Amino acid sequence: MAKTLNCPNCATVFNPKENSCVYCGSCIVTSEAKQITYQLDEFKPTYKKIFFHEIEMGENESPIRSGVANMFYSVTRSDGGRLLLTNQRIIFCAHALNINPNLYWELSLREIDRTEFGLNLFISQRIHIFDRKEKETTFVVYGGKNWLNEMARALNRIK
């Protein structure tokens, strides 16, 4: 049985397996995969808008990589959700099971000073993102090296 959703752009019901709204032409990405890297040619220039889990992409913005992640604060505190890397920014949205389910964090790629690989926890790794003001944000992700490689490619494209 296929689950149906409403388009974040026009509210028309759509089948998430279709990945696009037949009414307005928006692309809607709702992947449940632990980690996924997108091919930029998957997103047609004819799409009116692109949405990733209800986050609207900006003009000429498209997803590069997404996956489950924890925003890490300390050994005893983190928020779980999804991390999204686009060709313009990196975004974290907490899922509803957190104490702070409305947590939303984003950083423009132009504001990233550097990224570093952190502690390897067998299956998952920590990645550290430093902004130009030296503020550090840490995420626990699957495939940390892949995340850092994709971020490096995205950062090189905007320079």
Side-chain angles (χ1 to χ4, degrees), residues 87-89 107-113 131-132 155 157-159:
N87 59 339
Q88 296 179 13
R89 58 190 167 152
L107 185 63
S108 165
L109 294 185
R110 296 190 185 283
E111 293 300 314
I112 294 176
D113 180 56
D131 67 18
R132 299 207 181 276
L155 289 168
R157 285 187 204 119
I158 63 167
K159 290 183 181 182

Side-chain angles (χ1 to χ4, degrees), residues 6 12 17 34 39 51-52 54-55 63 67 71 91 94 98 101 104 107 121 134 138 142 146 151:
N6 292 75
T12 300
K17 291 183 180 181
K34 280 189 178 180
Q39 301 302 318
F51 292 88
F52 179 84
E54 299 186 13
I55 299 168
M71 183 178 264
I91 304 163
N98 289 309
Y104 177 88
L107 185 63
L121 304 170
E134 287 299 309
T138 302
Y142 294 99
N146 293 329
M151 277 191 254

Side-chain angles (χ1 to χ4, degrees), residues 1-77:
M1 182 168 162
K3 180 179 174 186
T4 60
L5 301 171
N6 292 75
C7 173
N9 187 48
C10 70
T12 300
V13 174
F14 79 97
N15 180 343
K17 291 183 180 181
E18 298 296 322
N19 283 348
S20 65
C21 176
V22 294
Y23 184 77
C24 73
S26 294
C27 177
I28 305 143
V29 182
T30 58
S31 172
E32 295 298 324
K34 280 189 178 180
Q35 301 296 316
I36 188 166
T37 299
Y38 301 95
Q39 301 302 318
L40 292 180
D41 59 358
E42 288 179 43
F43 303 98
K44 303 171 194 158
T46 56
Y47 286 139
K48 183 175 181 179
K49 294 182 179 181
I50 299 174
F51 292 88
F52 179 84
H53 291 274
E54 299 186 13
I55 299 168
E56 184 176 348
M57 301 291 103
E59 188 175 336
N60 299 317
E61 183 177 23
S62 50
I64 295 173
R65 186 170 177 82
S66 71
V68 294
N70 285 322
M71 183 178 264
F72 180 84
Y73 308 109
S74 70
V75 175
T76 59
R77 185 164 174 256

